[in-house]
Amino acid sequence: MGNSISSYSSYLACPNKEMALPSTPPALSDVVVDEILRRLPPEEPACLVRSSLVCKPWHLLLSEPTFPRRYRELHCTPPVLGFLYNKCFVPTTTFDPPLFPPAFDCFSWVALDCRHGRVLLHTMNPTCLVIWDPITNEKHFLPQVPDEPCNHLTAAVLCAANDCNHMNCHGGPFLVVFGCTADEDVMGDASVTWMSVYSSETEEWSVPTWIHLGPISRSQDVMGPSLLIGNMLYFLLEDGRRILKYDLGGHHLLVMNTPPLPVGNMALVKAEDGGLEVAGVEGYNLRLWSWRGAAGWVQGKVIELDMMISMDIGDPSTKLLVVGFSDGANTIFVSANDGIFSVELRSDSVRKICDRKIFDAIIPYASFYTPDYARGRLQPPVRM
């Protein structure tokens, strides 16, 4: 390629010389094109889908049954494609075709959890739980949860396939863990919390597991979002005053204290070594605390957000709030005055993903979106 550029430059410098223009470079082989297409960024799925419309050879390469698997294996970590907030799906990238939240014939619906490519929704009138796959738009309605006392609820969804790498869980078996707390207003004395597990394979709920929590602090979010680490599910309680730990294998419940972070401004995080961490904002810094067993909570990484996010230092209206975490993408989400920002923990990179001012919890959605999901809605190009 260097000789061709040099020859062409010489021709431009001496146009009177009899010199042939360099010939058209040879077409790229299918192997090279395949390598290029596999390296298109997963966080911009429209690039990959639109590439299938460039020409028939590209369409055939992207239509090969093995391409999506090899694409996921190369990138490993599914990207965050958007988040759910206030009954809406807010995309953080461009889709072609676009994704839309499902329409339900009910009074209202709200997202409770999102993991392994699935979204868990709770509907009212009628009251039920629904699993929604935003990529395939498939919906699975669950049977009624156990009839036990409850006035605060939470839930988690997760893949139930054995030895799954969770890069393509669409259509596979899943579990739903449903938890409820009945406080003193319901029980009359001490509050209790119970959890039950639904299996898509048995289509049944398990016998509830119970624990007494003692007095419940009056807070906006008595039972918060979940984090999956190995065979353990963790839930924030009382805006982060405590953590509820649920053993999926032994069906045991345990309550833990949280590190010294501001209540209502924290999220459960999966550490790089696979352990439990809690992230929270103090001032303009994002601080992470790691659970070390007998040693308790140990302060770890500190990320200076004022060096990465444009803000008015010292302005009382400047507010930073941890609003979510994606364990699939290993990314924390922070709400600032001018929008939502993602903080990628492996690289400490910060990116603005939304202009909306949301001082509340969001549920990030992470998944690969490849041409095999759009097939049937995209027509191959006519020209060669």
Side-chain angles (χ1 to χ4, degrees), residues 9-57:
S9 300
S10 301
Y11 173 81
L12 293 177
C14 306
N16 294 326
K17 289 184 179 181
E18 294 183 1
M19 181 182 297
L21 284 171
S23 60
T24 303
L28 298 176
S29 67
D30 287 351
V31 174
V32 174
V33 173
D34 181 83
E35 289 296 320
I36 293 173
L37 294 176
R38 284 203 304 138
R39 281 161 175 75
L40 289 176
E43 63 271 15
E44 296 296 338
C47 297
L48 194 60
V49 177
R50 290 169 183 169
S51 296
S52 66
L53 301 177
V54 171
C55 60
K56 283 189 176 180

Side-chain angles (χ1 to χ4, degrees), residues 45 75 109 117 131 143 157 159 182 194 210 224 233 282 305 329 337 370 374 380:
H75 295 282
W109 61 266
I131 296 295
V157 59
C159 172
W194 59 269
W210 296 74
L233 266 174
E282 288 185 307
L305 297 177
N337 284 25
T370 49

Side-chain angles (χ1 to χ4, degrees), residues 75-131:
H75 295 282
C76 296
T77 303
V80 175
L81 302 180
F83 59 85
L84 291 112
Y85 169 78
N86 196 24
K87 304 177 179 64
C88 297
F89 179 78
V90 181
T92 56
T93 185
T94 303
F95 296 93
D96 194 358
L99 300 182
F100 295 102
F104 289 98
D105 185 18
C106 62
F107 174 70
S108 65
W109 61 266
V110 63
L112 296 180
D113 191 41
C114 179
R115 186 176 290 104
H116 301 156
R118 301 175 179 88
V119 178
L120 176 60
L121 304 171
H122 183 250
T123 69
M124 299 294 291
N125 286 337
T127 301
C128 66
L129 295 174
V130 184
I131 296 295

